Amino acid sequence: MTVSLDADLEHSWLQESVRIATRNVADGGGPFGALVVRDGEIIATGVNRVTPTLDPTAHAEVVAIRAACQALGTFSLTGCVLVSSCEPCPMCLASSLWARVDRVLYAADRHDAAKAGFDDRAFYELFETPRDTWEVPVARASLKDHFAPFDAWLSRADRIEY
C-alpha cells in the first residue's frame, strides 16, 4: 500500500512541528511548534514564546500566523494550512479562523496537552456555559456612543474589508 504524496507531505510537516516544539523546550520555551504552509512550502514557523517574552498570546500558532502574514504581506492566509504539534487552544483556533487558513492539522490533542500540564479543556468547557456563570465577569456596559467606532469605519470608502 502506498501513501499519497499529500499524506507524506502532511506527515513531514507534522514531524517538523514536533521537532521545533521539542527544540523550543531546550531553548526555554513551551512544548509547542507550528508551521504555516502554502502550496506545499513552509512559509513560516512559530514556537511557544509565552514565558520568555512574558506574552500570554505568544502561542506557537499565533507566532506562526503573525510571521506568515508578514512574509506574505497580507493578513489573509487563504490557501494556507496551519500545522501544529498540538491541537490549537481556543485562542489559536480563533486566530486561525480570523487568518482565513484553509485547514488546521495537528499531532497531539488537548488531552495529551493536559497530561503535560497544559490543560485548556477548561476553556473549551467554559465557552459552552452561559457567561453569567463564569468566574471572570464578561459583560456589556451601556454607552450612548457605543457604535461610534463602527460608524467611523463604515463611513470610510477606503476601508480594507476583512
Side-chain angles (χ1 to χ4, degrees):
M1 178 177 175
T2 56
V3 178
S4 74
L5 179 61
D6 286 346
D8 286 345
L9 269 174
E10 289 177 357
H11 190 257
S12 70
W13 299 334
L14 285 167
Q15 284 183 310
E16 178 62 9
S17 71
V18 169
R19 187 189 69 74
I20 65 174
T22 304
R23 186 183 69 220
N24 193 51
V25 173
D27 293 342
F32 303 94
L35 322 167
V36 175
V37 178
R38 184 174 73 174
D39 298 328
E41 178 186 342
I42 296 173
I43 302 300
T45 64
V47 292
N48 182 283
R49 303 303 297 158
V50 170
T51 56
T53 62
L54 306 177
D55 179 356
T57 69
H59 290 201
E61 297 89 345
V62 172
V63 172
I65 288 168
R66 290 173 180 163
C69 289
Q70 292 300 305
L72 296 172
T74 182
F75 57 81
S76 175
L77 297 179
T78 300
C80 295
V81 178
L82 175 66
V83 181
S84 182
S85 63
C86 187
E87 181 178 3
C89 74
M91 176 185 70
C92 293
L93 188 55
S95 296
S96 68
L97 296 174
W98 274 111
R100 310 291 197 269
V101 299
D102 287 4
R103 196 161 52 106
V104 177
L105 181 65
Y106 59 89
D109 67 17
R110 66 182 83 168
H111 306 290
D112 296 319
K115 289 176 192 170
F118 297 90
D119 195 355
D120 57 10
R121 294 176 299 186
F123 297 124
Y124 285 97
E125 292 165 7
L126 177 68
F127 292 142
E128 294 175 358
T129 64
R131 281 189 182 176
D132 61 358
T133 66
W134 292 10
E135 198 171 304
V136 175
V138 177
R140 180 178 182 188
S142 180
L143 185 64
K144 180 183 175 202
D145 295 331
H146 72 276
F147 203 78
F150 298 117
D151 282 333
W153 171 255
L154 291 170
S155 71
R156 291 193 62 114
D158 65 340
R159 69 180 178 268
I160 299 172
E161 299 289 342
Y162 62 97

